[in-house]
Amino acid sequence: GNGDGSVFEDVDTLNIDTTSGATQDTVRINTTDIGGQGYVQHNRNGSLQDKLVFNATLNLNVDFDGAQDTVHVAPHADTAIALNGGDPTTGPGDAFNNEVPAGQTATVTFTGLDSGVVTTTGGYENITFAGFESINGGGPYTVTGTGQDDTLEVTATGANSGSLQLTSGGSAGPVMNFSNLTSLTFNAGDGRDE
């Protein structure tokens, strides 16, 4: 790792590859506990690997490897964020924790069984994700079908919390946990959908 304090400025795309194989990585991006917008912290098995600052960066891409990894991410005003959970592809798997800035709302739109995009009010850039088996965070969720026979199963654990799972063409996607849900829309598309 680079340790604490690397600074990246005026970079079109910043790529971070956790490259840890089967060890567990935790990455925090733009969260208030590490300094807010423009900060990234990477821990491997609980030990600090990297803490860096990025300014004037258009894109931040983070790729995880083969363990049950966790990312905590808040959106950035100027930087689009792309997250790839990698392996494993079954639960409990990788966890994506969306942290919404105060006074804003976020909409999670699923574009595949384990992928989607988070849009946040207030002029923030989008967060795209793929390869995550658990999505945690609030706001409205929109699930988009595939054109095949889709089934969306929702299990409530409270008034605004629970989990959902999309099965498409007989292939079950990961169970996505949610809390503080304000609405759920299922755009089923073609096929025989439930």
Side-chain angles (χ1 to χ4, degrees):
N2 294 327
D4 191 0
S6 299
V7 177
F8 296 86
E9 292 195 46
D10 297 315
V11 177
D12 284 343
T13 301
L14 176 58
N15 295 312
I16 299 173
D17 189 347
T18 62
T19 62
S20 63
T23 58
Q24 187 175 34
D25 293 296
T26 301
V27 174
R28 296 181 180 282
I29 305 168
N30 301 322
T31 58
T32 57
D33 59 329
I34 62 166
Q37 276 201 44
Y39 287 85
V40 176
Q41 181 173 308
H42 169 213
N43 287 32
R44 181 174 296 143
N45 283 339
S47 297
L48 177 67
Q49 293 296 301
D50 309 284
K51 186 171 183 183
L52 56 95
V53 178
F54 62 94
N55 297 307
T57 301
L58 297 177
N59 302 289
L60 173 63
N61 303 324
V62 181
D63 290 310
F64 293 90
D65 217 343
Q68 294 176 5
D69 303 310
T70 302
V71 63
H72 302 268
V73 61
H76 193 280
D78 302 315
T79 304
I81 300 168
L83 306 168
N84 181 1
D87 291 333
T89 58
T90 59
D94 303 305
F96 169 64
N97 297 293
N98 184 40
E99 299 189 13
V100 182
Q104 306 303 323
T105 58
T107 300
V108 178
T109 302
F110 292 96
T111 56
L113 295 177
D114 63 353
S115 60
V117 62
V118 180
T119 55
T120 305
T121 59
Y124 289 94
E125 294 291 329
N126 290 345
I127 301 168
T128 58
F129 61 90
F132 286 89
E133 290 70 47
S134 177
I135 308 295
N136 301 296
Y141 276 25
T142 300
V143 179
T144 302
T146 64
Q148 299 181 19
D149 295 343
D150 299 319
T151 302
L152 179 63
E153 182 177 339
V154 179
T155 303
T157 57
N160 60 2
S161 61
S163 64
L164 59 88
Q165 182 176 36
L166 179 65
T167 300
S168 180
S171 296
V175 174
M176 304 290 188
N177 299 309
F178 59 83
S179 59
N180 301 315
L181 185 70
T182 57
S183 68
L184 174 64
T185 302
F186 181 33
N187 296 325
D190 295 333
R192 295 184 61 198
D193 305 308
E194 302 176 22

Short mmCIF file of all heavy atoms in Angstrom, two decimals, residues 120-184:
data_model
loop_
_atom_site.label_atom_id
_atom_site.label_comp_id
_atom_site.label_asym_id
_atom_site.label_seq_id
_atom_site.Cartn_x
_atom_site.Cartn_y
_atom_site.Cartn_z
N THR A 120 -28.08 10.75 -7.18
CA THR A 120 -28.32 11.49 -5.95
C THR A 120 -28.68 12.93 -6.29
O THR A 120 -28.07 13.54 -7.17
CB THR A 120 -27.05 11.47 -5.06
OG1 THR A 120 -26.67 10.11 -4.85
CG2 THR A 120 -27.31 12.13 -3.72
N THR A 121 -29.68 13.47 -5.61
CA THR A 121 -30.07 14.86 -5.82
C THR A 121 -28.94 15.77 -5.37
O THR A 121 -28.01 15.35 -4.68
CB THR A 121 -31.35 15.20 -5.03
OG1 THR A 121 -31.12 14.97 -3.63
CG2 THR A 121 -32.54 14.37 -5.51
N GLY A 122 -29.02 17.04 -5.75
CA GLY A 122 -28.03 18.02 -5.32
C GLY A 122 -26.87 18.18 -6.27
O GLY A 122 -25.86 18.79 -5.91
N GLY A 123 -26.97 17.61 -7.49
CA GLY A 123 -25.92 17.79 -8.48
C GLY A 123 -24.74 16.84 -8.35
O GLY A 123 -23.69 17.07 -8.96
N TYR A 124 -24.87 15.79 -7.57
CA TYR A 124 -23.78 14.82 -7.41
C TYR A 124 -23.66 13.94 -8.65
O TYR A 124 -24.65 13.67 -9.35
CB TYR A 124 -24.02 13.95 -6.18
CG TYR A 124 -23.84 14.69 -4.89
CD1 TYR A 124 -24.93 15.27 -4.24
CD2 TYR A 124 -22.59 14.82 -4.32
CE1 TYR A 124 -24.77 15.96 -3.05
CE2 TYR A 124 -22.42 15.51 -3.13
CZ TYR A 124 -23.52 16.08 -2.50
OH TYR A 124 -23.35 16.77 -1.33
N GLU A 125 -22.45 13.46 -8.91
CA GLU A 125 -22.19 12.52 -10.00
C GLU A 125 -22.73 11.14 -9.62
O GLU A 125 -22.88 10.82 -8.44
CB GLU A 125 -20.70 12.43 -10.31
CG GLU A 125 -20.12 13.72 -10.88
CD GLU A 125 -20.63 14.03 -12.28
OE1 GLU A 125 -20.91 13.09 -13.05
OE2 GLU A 125 -20.75 15.23 -12.61
N ASN A 126 -22.96 10.29 -10.62
CA ASN A 126 -23.51 8.95 -10.40
C ASN A 126 -22.47 8.00 -9.82
O ASN A 126 -21.27 8.16 -10.03
CB ASN A 126 -24.04 8.37 -11.69
CG ASN A 126 -25.29 9.06 -12.17
OD1 ASN A 126 -25.93 9.80 -11.42
ND2 ASN A 126 -25.65 8.83 -13.41
N ILE A 127 -22.98 6.98 -9.15
CA ILE A 127 -22.18 5.84 -8.70
C ILE A 127 -22.72 4.62 -9.42
O ILE A 127 -23.92 4.31 -9.30
CB ILE A 127 -22.30 5.63 -7.17
CG1 ILE A 127 -21.84 6.87 -6.42
CG2 ILE A 127 -21.51 4.39 -6.74
CD1 ILE A 127 -22.18 6.85 -4.93
N THR A 128 -21.89 3.93 -10.19
CA THR A 128 -22.31 2.68 -10.82
C THR A 128 -21.65 1.53 -10.07
O THR A 128 -20.55 1.67 -9.52
CB THR A 128 -21.93 2.62 -12.32
OG1 THR A 128 -20.52 2.78 -12.45
CG2 THR A 128 -22.65 3.69 -13.11
N PHE A 129 -22.35 0.39 -10.05
CA PHE A 129 -21.82 -0.76 -9.33
C PHE A 129 -22.15 -2.04 -10.06
O PHE A 129 -23.15 -2.12 -10.79
CB PHE A 129 -22.36 -0.81 -7.89
CG PHE A 129 -23.86 -0.95 -7.79
CD1 PHE A 129 -24.44 -2.20 -7.74
CD2 PHE A 129 -24.67 0.17 -7.75
CE1 PHE A 129 -25.83 -2.33 -7.66
CE2 PHE A 129 -26.05 0.05 -7.67
CZ PHE A 129 -26.63 -1.21 -7.62
N ALA A 130 -21.29 -3.04 -9.89
CA ALA A 130 -21.51 -4.38 -10.45
C ALA A 130 -20.80 -5.37 -9.53
O ALA A 130 -19.78 -5.06 -8.93
CB ALA A 130 -20.96 -4.48 -11.86
N GLY A 131 -21.35 -6.57 -9.44
CA GLY A 131 -20.70 -7.63 -8.68
C GLY A 131 -20.86 -7.54 -7.19
O GLY A 131 -20.04 -8.09 -6.45
N PHE A 132 -21.91 -6.89 -6.72
CA PHE A 132 -22.17 -6.81 -5.28
C PHE A 132 -23.37 -7.66 -4.94
O PHE A 132 -24.40 -7.62 -5.62
CB PHE A 132 -22.38 -5.36 -4.83
CG PHE A 132 -21.10 -4.57 -4.82
CD1 PHE A 132 -20.68 -3.90 -5.94
CD2 PHE A 132 -20.32 -4.55 -3.68
CE1 PHE A 132 -19.49 -3.21 -5.95
CE2 PHE A 132 -19.12 -3.84 -3.67
CZ PHE A 132 -18.70 -3.18 -4.82
N GLU A 133 -23.25 -8.41 -3.85
CA GLU A 133 -24.31 -9.33 -3.45
C GLU A 133 -25.21 -8.74 -2.37
O GLU A 133 -26.23 -9.32 -2.04
CB GLU A 133 -23.70 -10.65 -2.96
CG GLU A 133 -23.07 -11.46 -4.07
CD GLU A 133 -21.79 -10.86 -4.65
OE1 GLU A 133 -20.91 -10.44 -3.87
OE2 GLU A 133 -21.69 -10.79 -5.88
N SER A 134 -24.84 -7.59 -1.83
CA SER A 134 -25.65 -6.92 -0.82
C SER A 134 -25.54 -5.42 -1.03
O SER A 134 -24.43 -4.89 -1.13
CB SER A 134 -25.15 -7.29 0.58
OG SER A 134 -25.88 -6.60 1.57
N ILE A 135 -26.68 -4.76 -1.13
CA ILE A 135 -26.74 -3.31 -1.29
C ILE A 135 -27.48 -2.75 -0.09
O ILE A 135 -28.62 -3.14 0.17
CB ILE A 135 -27.49 -2.90 -2.59
CG1 ILE A 135 -26.93 -3.62 -3.80
CG2 ILE A 135 -27.47 -1.40 -2.76
CD1 ILE A 135 -25.52 -3.27 -4.15
N ASN A 136 -26.83 -1.87 0.64
CA ASN A 136 -27.45 -1.29 1.82
C ASN A 136 -27.53 0.22 1.68
O ASN A 136 -26.56 0.86 1.30
CB ASN A 136 -26.63 -1.65 3.07
CG ASN A 136 -26.51 -3.14 3.25
OD1 ASN A 136 -27.50 -3.82 3.46
ND2 ASN A 136 -25.30 -3.67 3.14
N GLY A 137 -28.69 0.75 1.97
CA GLY A 137 -28.90 2.18 1.87
C GLY A 137 -30.37 2.47 1.63
O GLY A 137 -31.13 1.57 1.31
N GLY A 138 -30.74 3.70 1.77
CA GLY A 138 -32.14 4.06 1.65
C GLY A 138 -32.47 4.76 0.36
O GLY A 138 -31.70 4.74 -0.59
N GLY A 139 -33.67 5.37 0.36
CA GLY A 139 -34.14 6.09 -0.81
C GLY A 139 -35.05 5.23 -1.65
O GLY A 139 -35.38 4.10 -1.31
N PRO A 140 -35.47 5.76 -2.79
CA PRO A 140 -36.29 4.97 -3.71
C PRO A 140 -35.42 3.97 -4.47
O PRO A 140 -34.28 4.27 -4.82
CB PRO A 140 -36.89 6.00 -4.66
CG PRO A 140 -36.26 7.30 -4.36
CD PRO A 140 -35.36 7.15 -3.20
N TYR A 141 -35.96 2.78 -4.71
CA TYR A 141 -35.30 1.77 -5.54
C TYR A 141 -36.13 1.57 -6.80
O TYR A 141 -37.36 1.53 -6.74
CB TYR A 141 -35.23 0.42 -4.82
CG TYR A 141 -34.08 0.24 -3.85
CD1 TYR A 141 -33.46 1.31 -3.23
CD2 TYR A 141 -33.62 -1.03 -3.55
CE1 TYR A 141 -32.43 1.13 -2.34
CE2 TYR A 141 -32.59 -1.22 -2.65
CZ TYR A 141 -32.00 -0.15 -2.04
OH TYR A 141 -30.97 -0.33 -1.16
N THR A 142 -35.45 1.42 -7.92
CA THR A 142 -36.09 1.04 -9.18
C THR A 142 -35.39 -0.21 -9.68
O THR A 142 -34.17 -0.22 -9.84
CB THR A 142 -35.98 2.15 -10.24
OG1 THR A 142 -36.62 3.32 -9.74
CG2 THR A 142 -36.66 1.73 -11.53
N VAL A 143 -36.15 -1.27 -9.92
CA VAL A 143 -35.61 -2.52 -10.45
C VAL A 143 -36.10 -2.64 -11.88
O VAL A 143 -37.30 -2.56 -12.14
CB VAL A 143 -36.06 -3.73 -9.62
CG1 VAL A 143 -35.50 -5.02 -10.19
CG2 VAL A 143 -35.63 -3.56 -8.17
N THR A 144 -35.18 -2.83 -12.83
CA THR A 144 -35.52 -2.94 -14.24
C THR A 144 -35.36 -4.38 -14.68
O THR A 144 -34.29 -4.98 -14.47
CB THR A 144 -34.63 -2.01 -15.08
OG1 THR A 144 -34.81 -0.67 -14.61
CG2 THR A 144 -34.99 -2.08 -16.55
N GLY A 145 -36.41 -4.92 -15.30
CA GLY A 145 -36.36 -6.29 -15.80
C GLY A 145 -35.44 -6.40 -17.01
O GLY A 145 -34.87 -5.43 -17.51
N THR A 146 -35.33 -7.64 -17.51
CA THR A 146 -34.33 -7.94 -18.53
C THR A 146 -34.90 -8.23 -19.91
O THR A 146 -34.14 -8.37 -20.86
CB THR A 146 -33.51 -9.16 -18.11
OG1 THR A 146 -34.39 -10.29 -18.05
CG2 THR A 146 -32.85 -8.94 -16.77
N GLY A 147 -36.19 -8.39 -20.06
CA GLY A 147 -36.76 -8.84 -21.33
C GLY A 147 -37.02 -10.33 -21.31
O GLY A 147 -37.70 -10.86 -22.18
N GLN A 148 -36.47 -11.04 -20.33
CA GLN A 148 -36.77 -12.45 -20.13
C GLN A 148 -37.90 -12.55 -19.10
O GLN A 148 -38.46 -11.54 -18.69
CB GLN A 148 -35.53 -13.20 -19.65
CG GLN A 148 -34.38 -13.14 -20.64
CD GLN A 148 -33.18 -13.92 -20.13
OE1 GLN A 148 -33.29 -14.77 -19.26
NE2 GLN A 148 -32.01 -13.64 -20.68
N ASP A 149 -38.20 -13.77 -18.68
CA ASP A 149 -39.19 -13.96 -17.62
C ASP A 149 -38.54 -13.56 -16.30
O ASP A 149 -37.58 -14.20 -15.85
CB ASP A 149 -39.65 -15.42 -17.56
CG ASP A 149 -40.40 -15.84 -18.81
OD1 ASP A 149 -40.84 -14.96 -19.57
OD2 ASP A 149 -40.56 -17.05 -19.04
N ASP A 150 -39.05 -12.49 -15.69
CA ASP A 150 -38.46 -11.95 -14.46
C ASP A 150 -39.42 -12.13 -13.29
O ASP A 150 -40.63 -11.96 -13.43
CB ASP A 150 -38.17 -10.45 -14.61
CG ASP A 150 -37.19 -10.15 -15.71
OD1 ASP A 150 -36.20 -10.89 -15.85
OD2 ASP A 150 -37.40 -9.16 -16.43
N THR A 151 -38.83 -12.43 -12.14
CA THR A 151 -39.58 -12.49 -10.89
C THR A 151 -38.85 -11.64 -9.87
O THR A 151 -37.65 -11.84 -9.64
CB THR A 151 -39.70 -13.94 -10.37
OG1 THR A 151 -40.34 -14.74 -11.36
CG2 THR A 151 -40.49 -13.98 -9.08
N LEU A 152 -39.56 -10.70 -9.27
CA LEU A 152 -38.99 -9.89 -8.20
C LEU A 152 -39.63 -10.33 -6.89
O LEU A 152 -40.84 -10.25 -6.72
CB LEU A 152 -39.26 -8.40 -8.44
CG LEU A 152 -38.72 -7.46 -7.36
CD1 LEU A 152 -37.19 -7.54 -7.30
CD2 LEU A 152 -39.17 -6.04 -7.62
N GLU A 153 -38.78 -10.81 -5.97
CA GLU A 153 -39.26 -11.24 -4.66
C GLU A 153 -38.81 -10.23 -3.63
O GLU A 153 -37.61 -9.93 -3.51
CB GLU A 153 -38.70 -12.62 -4.32
CG GLU A 153 -39.19 -13.15 -3.00
CD GLU A 153 -38.68 -14.55 -2.71
OE1 GLU A 153 -38.29 -15.27 -3.64
OE2 GLU A 153 -38.67 -14.91 -1.51
N VAL A 154 -39.76 -9.68 -2.89
CA VAL A 154 -39.48 -8.69 -1.86
C VAL A 154 -39.88 -9.28 -0.51
O VAL A 154 -41.00 -9.77 -0.35
CB VAL A 154 -40.25 -7.37 -2.11
CG1 VAL A 154 -39.97 -6.36 -1.02
CG2 VAL A 154 -39.91 -6.81 -3.48
N THR A 155 -38.96 -9.23 0.45
CA THR A 155 -39.22 -9.72 1.79
C THR A 155 -39.06 -8.55 2.75
O THR A 155 -37.95 -8.00 2.89
CB THR A 155 -38.23 -10.85 2.17
OG1 THR A 155 -38.33 -11.89 1.20
CG2 THR A 155 -38.54 -11.39 3.55
N ALA A 156 -40.15 -8.16 3.38
CA ALA A 156 -40.11 -7.03 4.33
C ALA A 156 -39.71 -7.53 5.71
O ALA A 156 -40.17 -8.57 6.16
CB ALA A 156 -41.47 -6.36 4.39
N THR A 157 -38.81 -6.77 6.35
CA THR A 157 -38.44 -7.06 7.73
C THR A 157 -38.91 -5.94 8.66
O THR A 157 -38.78 -6.05 9.87
CB THR A 157 -36.91 -7.24 7.87
OG1 THR A 157 -36.26 -6.06 7.39
CG2 THR A 157 -36.43 -8.44 7.07
N GLY A 158 -39.43 -4.87 8.08
CA GLY A 158 -39.95 -3.73 8.82
C GLY A 158 -40.75 -2.87 7.87
O GLY A 158 -40.93 -3.21 6.69
N ALA A 159 -41.21 -1.72 8.35
CA ALA A 159 -42.05 -0.83 7.54
C ALA A 159 -41.31 -0.32 6.30
O ALA A 159 -41.92 -0.09 5.26
CB ALA A 159 -42.53 0.34 8.38
N ASN A 160 -39.99 -0.15 6.38
CA ASN A 160 -39.24 0.38 5.24
C ASN A 160 -37.90 -0.34 5.06
O ASN A 160 -36.95 0.21 4.52
CB ASN A 160 -39.01 1.88 5.39
CG ASN A 160 -38.22 2.23 6.63
OD1 ASN A 160 -37.81 1.36 7.41
ND2 ASN A 160 -38.03 3.52 6.86
N SER A 161 -37.83 -1.60 5.53
CA SER A 161 -36.59 -2.36 5.41
C SER A 161 -36.90 -3.79 5.00
O SER A 161 -38.02 -4.27 5.15
CB SER A 161 -35.82 -2.35 6.73
OG SER A 161 -36.61 -2.94 7.75
N GLY A 162 -35.88 -4.45 4.45
CA GLY A 162 -36.04 -5.83 4.03
C GLY A 162 -35.01 -6.20 2.99
O GLY A 162 -33.89 -5.72 3.00
N SER A 163 -35.44 -7.05 2.05
CA SER A 163 -34.54 -7.48 0.99
C SER A 163 -35.34 -7.72 -0.28
O SER A 163 -36.56 -7.89 -0.24
CB SER A 163 -33.79 -8.75 1.40
OG SER A 163 -34.71 -9.83 1.57
N LEU A 164 -34.63 -7.71 -1.40
CA LEU A 164 -35.25 -8.04 -2.67
C LEU A 164 -34.30 -8.90 -3.47
O LEU A 164 -33.08 -8.87 -3.29
CB LEU A 164 -35.66 -6.78 -3.45
CG LEU A 164 -34.59 -5.77 -3.85
CD1 LEU A 164 -33.96 -6.13 -5.19
CD2 LEU A 164 -35.23 -4.39 -3.94
N GLN A 165 -34.88 -9.72 -4.36
CA GLN A 165 -34.09 -10.58 -5.23
C GLN A 165 -34.79 -10.68 -6.57
O GLN A 165 -35.98 -10.96 -6.65
CB GLN A 165 -33.93 -11.97 -4.61
CG GLN A 165 -33.08 -12.91 -5.45
CD GLN A 165 -32.86 -14.25 -4.78
OE1 GLN A 165 -33.75 -14.76 -4.11
NE2 GLN A 165 -31.68 -14.82 -4.96
N LEU A 166 -34.02 -10.42 -7.64
CA LEU A 166 -34.53 -10.52 -9.00
C LEU A 166 -34.04 -11.83 -9.61
O LEU A 166 -32.84 -12.10 -9.61
CB LEU A 166 -34.06 -9.35 -9.85
CG LEU A 166 -34.49 -9.34 -11.32
CD1 LEU A 166 -36.01 -9.19 -11.44
CD2 LEU A 166 -33.79 -8.23 -12.08
N THR A 167 -34.98 -12.62 -10.11
CA THR A 167 -34.65 -13.83 -10.86
C THR A 167 -35.04 -13.57 -12.30
O THR A 167 -36.16 -13.15 -12.59
CB THR A 167 -35.41 -15.05 -10.30
OG1 THR A 167 -35.04 -15.23 -8.93
CG2 THR A 167 -35.09 -16.30 -11.10
N SER A 168 -34.10 -13.81 -13.21
CA SER A 168 -34.32 -13.52 -14.62
C SER A 168 -33.95 -14.72 -15.46
O SER A 168 -32.83 -15.23 -15.37
CB SER A 168 -33.48 -12.31 -15.03
OG SER A 168 -33.68 -12.02 -16.38
N GLY A 169 -34.90 -15.19 -16.27
CA GLY A 169 -34.63 -16.35 -17.12
C GLY A 169 -34.20 -17.57 -16.35
O GLY A 169 -33.41 -18.37 -16.84
N GLY A 170 -34.68 -17.70 -15.11
CA GLY A 170 -34.33 -18.83 -14.27
C GLY A 170 -33.07 -18.65 -13.45
O GLY A 170 -32.73 -19.50 -12.63
N SER A 171 -32.32 -17.57 -13.66
CA SER A 171 -31.10 -17.30 -12.90
C SER A 171 -31.39 -16.30 -11.80
O SER A 171 -31.82 -15.17 -12.07
CB SER A 171 -30.01 -16.74 -13.81
OG SER A 171 -29.64 -17.67 -14.79
N ALA A 172 -31.13 -16.71 -10.55
CA ALA A 172 -31.40 -15.83 -9.41
C ALA A 172 -30.23 -14.90 -9.17
O ALA A 172 -29.08 -15.32 -9.16
CB ALA A 172 -31.66 -16.67 -8.16
N GLY A 173 -30.55 -13.63 -9.00
CA GLY A 173 -29.55 -12.65 -8.63
C GLY A 173 -29.33 -12.67 -7.14
O GLY A 173 -29.98 -13.42 -6.40
N PRO A 174 -28.41 -11.87 -6.64
CA PRO A 174 -28.13 -11.83 -5.20
C PRO A 174 -29.29 -11.20 -4.43
O PRO A 174 -30.09 -10.45 -4.99
CB PRO A 174 -26.88 -10.97 -5.10
CG PRO A 174 -26.93 -10.11 -6.32
CD PRO A 174 -27.56 -10.94 -7.39
N VAL A 175 -29.35 -11.50 -3.16
CA VAL A 175 -30.31 -10.86 -2.27
C VAL A 175 -29.76 -9.48 -1.92
O VAL A 175 -28.63 -9.34 -1.48
CB VAL A 175 -30.52 -11.70 -1.00
CG1 VAL A 175 -31.41 -10.96 -0.01
CG2 VAL A 175 -31.10 -13.05 -1.35
N MET A 176 -30.56 -8.45 -2.19
CA MET A 176 -30.16 -7.08 -1.93
C MET A 176 -30.90 -6.57 -0.70
O MET A 176 -32.14 -6.52 -0.70
CB MET A 176 -30.50 -6.18 -3.12
CG MET A 176 -29.90 -6.63 -4.43
SD MET A 176 -28.13 -6.40 -4.42
CE MET A 176 -27.76 -6.77 -6.11
N ASN A 177 -30.16 -6.24 0.35
CA ASN A 177 -30.77 -5.71 1.56
C ASN A 177 -31.04 -4.22 1.39
O ASN A 177 -30.31 -3.53 0.69
CB ASN A 177 -29.83 -5.91 2.75
CG ASN A 177 -29.56 -7.36 3.01
OD1 ASN A 177 -30.47 -8.16 3.10
ND2 ASN A 177 -28.29 -7.72 3.10
N PHE A 178 -32.08 -3.73 2.04
CA PHE A 178 -32.36 -2.30 2.01
C PHE A 178 -32.91 -1.84 3.35
O PHE A 178 -33.45 -2.63 4.12
CB PHE A 178 -33.33 -1.93 0.87
CG PHE A 178 -34.67 -2.61 0.94
CD1 PHE A 178 -35.69 -2.12 1.75
CD2 PHE A 178 -34.92 -3.74 0.19
CE1 PHE A 178 -36.93 -2.74 1.80
CE2 PHE A 178 -36.16 -4.37 0.23
CZ PHE A 178 -37.16 -3.86 1.03
N SER A 179 -32.70 -0.56 3.61
CA SER A 179 -33.27 0.07 4.79
C SER A 179 -33.63 1.50 4.41
O SER A 179 -33.11 2.03 3.44
CB SER A 179 -32.26 0.06 5.95
OG SER A 179 -31.08 0.73 5.58
N ASN A 180 -34.52 2.10 5.15
CA ASN A 180 -34.99 3.46 4.88
C ASN A 180 -35.53 3.61 3.46
O ASN A 180 -35.36 4.66 2.84
CB ASN A 180 -33.87 4.48 5.13
CG ASN A 180 -33.37 4.43 6.55
OD1 ASN A 180 -34.16 4.36 7.49
ND2 ASN A 180 -32.07 4.41 6.71
N LEU A 181 -36.16 2.58 2.94
CA LEU A 181 -36.73 2.60 1.60
C LEU A 181 -37.94 3.53 1.57
O LEU A 181 -38.80 3.47 2.44
CB LEU A 181 -37.15 1.19 1.18
CG LEU A 181 -37.66 1.02 -0.23
CD1 LEU A 181 -36.51 1.18 -1.23
CD2 LEU A 181 -38.29 -0.36 -0.40
N THR A 182 -37.99 4.40 0.56
CA THR A 182 -39.13 5.32 0.45
C THR A 182 -40.12 4.87 -0.62
O THR A 182 -41.29 5.21 -0.54
CB THR A 182 -38.65 6.74 0.14
OG1 THR A 182 -37.87 6.73 -1.05
CG2 THR A 182 -37.81 7.29 1.29
N SER A 183 -39.65 4.14 -1.65
CA SER A 183 -40.56 3.58 -2.65
C SER A 183 -39.81 2.52 -3.44
O SER A 183 -38.58 2.49 -3.47
CB SER A 183 -41.08 4.67 -3.60
OG SER A 183 -40.03 5.16 -4.41
N LEU A 184 -40.57 1.63 -4.09
CA LEU A 184 -40.01 0.58 -4.91
C LEU A 184 -40.80 0.51 -6.21
O LEU A 184 -42.03 0.39 -6.19
CB LEU A 184 -40.07 -0.77 -4.20
CG LEU A 184 -39.62 -1.99 -5.01
CD1 LEU A 184 -38.14 -1.89 -5.37
CD2 LEU A 184 -39.89 -3.27 -4.21
#
